[in-house]
Amino acid sequence: MTRTDYRRTFPILTTKVNGEPLIYLDNAATTQKPQAVIEAISHYYAYDNANVHRGVYTLAARATNQYEAVRDQVAAFIQAPRRDTVFFTRSTTESLNWVAQTYGEQTIQAGDEIVVTALEHHSNLVPWQQLALRKRAQLKVIQLRPNGELDLAAAAEQITAKTKIVAVAQTSNVLGVTTPIRELAQLAHQRGAVIVVDGAQTVAHQPVNVQELDVDFYAFSGHKLYGPTGVGVLYGKLALLQQLTPVQFGGEMISNVTFERTEFAPIPQRFEAGTPDISGVIGLGAALKTIQQLGWPAIQRQENQLTAQLLNGLLNLPGVTVYGPESVAKHGPVVAFNVNGVHPHDIATGLDLAGIEVRAGHHCAQPLMQTLGVAATVRASVAFYNTTAEIDRFLVVLREVKEFFQQ
Amino acid sequence: MSLLNLNDLYKTVILEHAQAPHHYGLQPDLPATTLNNPTCGDVLTVQLVVTANQITTLQFSSTGCTISQASASVMTDVLLGKSVSEAQALIAAFSKLVMGTPIAKHDRDQLGDAAVLGSVAQFPTRIRCATLAWHAAAQALTEVTTDDQ
């Protein structure tokens, strides 16, 4: 199957919005779902539904096998060394909060430092800020270069011997820039800190190898990589996960319980209390299979071409300000911009009337908006299933909307 | 896309108010009420003075979209000179209007240019843009009324 064939397996991409063919350019918020994912979920409920890790009957074994097979897939997807270093959560947000509430809670003391960057999504900022407030620790921010790139020299200054945690997004959900994780991990480790990486905007667009990056924790969501909402992933280094006490207790996470005490199950079950989102995990498995079948070269070739077209098209439109690097080589498939004198909401409504869905607002990154000196931006983000014709149309309609408001 | 569609929401009167909003600007010596729209980060501040149960000063300042700016501008035109209870009734009527609920002809007439914003009801994601200024005025009214007591 070619890339175009794969596009045809996304039912929503053949629908209309406001009477116009849907052009979906909000892939950084969530991606659309292929038929394979939708069918995997409905097949599970139609034929395989049972609770996992419990029953001795055939159906329960079938559900458990399918659920656990996805753990293997996820471990392979991010090159985790062992399947038990990967566990399922509800979302990237839950994964990051989990690290703050376990590792953070058990490690951070008054006077310690937690270092984040100026481009973090609220989900990789607020948990650390709140932890710092609880513990009387200091939250420090690595500032960006004017083009939005992370400054390694600034990072080396902020990360000190007092730093215990460095929390950073691998790809900005606003500027599209990618941060040098390998180098940041080295810096963190040299100073005795761990590095926690938000990979939500990365995993659908480039291969990730958590061992090569040498990260301590890595979080991402299934729904941004063509899987269903409701499933997140957290990877952690074995030695770290083994020393952590769970924060949620209940079924599935125990090995022996008396009224007096409980022995916890080994990892990863120790951290998966209660019935998980089984159908969601199975759906994620189907999404990972789609990515694997299509292959990174086809995905990256298309996304690079679309990003270049989008970025250059916007840079060439007079009266448009583009935020972040102007070089495609430094850009993930996310471009934030503003039309001078026109509010992002008005632009987004104009595009929406033409069936073009983009995001307008602060993108859950209010401190970054303050750094950029704006209240909000428009954001267009592409996925492999978008086409050059769609980007052409987007640029034409954007020009029309701009003229409407500037008339 | 047809620009006709855009005209459904962005009628000429709305564009005019947004481009040259009435009663725009704040005075440092007056109390102010600020609300923000957490979904977009927009911020709007109103200053409202009631003298002898009548709104004698109403002005605003904001960073916001065409709808929120225009709505704030028409609101100042509509509410200035009204009594507190008249203003409260009109704020309630405006809220209904943009939610797509029919309102009495008398209220519609009183709302004047603001009635044009009734078209926002067809754009559910933009209703909060239209109501922000009116919510701020409602809050300012309760603060002013409380101060008087």
Side-chain angles (χ1 to χ4, degrees), chain A residues 18 20 342-343 345-347 349-354 360-363 366 375-376 393 397 400-401 404-405 407, chain B residues 1-3 5-7 9-11 15 19 36-42 63-68 123 125-126 129:
Chain A
N18 291 320
E20 303 276 347
V342 187
H343 192 279
H345 269 188
D346 296 322
I347 297 291
T349 291
L351 291 166
D352 176 44
L353 289 173
H362 54 61
H363 319 296
Q366 286 180 345
R393 172 97 179 122
V397 176
E400 285 176 21
V401 173
F404 175 87
F405 284 106
Q407 69 196 343
Chain B
M1 178 197 61
S2 66
L3 290 180
N5 285 345
L6 266 180
N7 281 318
L9 177 61
Y10 297 102
K11 298 186 185 339
L15 292 172
Q19 270 153 22
N36 63 8
N37 184 344
T39 57
C40 61
D42 287 353
T63 55
C65 61
T66 298
I67 302 300
S68 75
F123 298 81
T125 59
R126 303 301 300 276
C129 311

Side-chain angles (χ1 to χ4, degrees), chain A residues 119 143-151 175 177-179 324-325 330:
Chain A
L119 46 72
Q143 293 302 333
L144 308 173
R145 294 212 190 98
N147 73 351
E149 280 185 88
L150 190 92
D151 189 343
L175 301 179
V177 281
T178 297
T179 51
K330 291 176 176 168

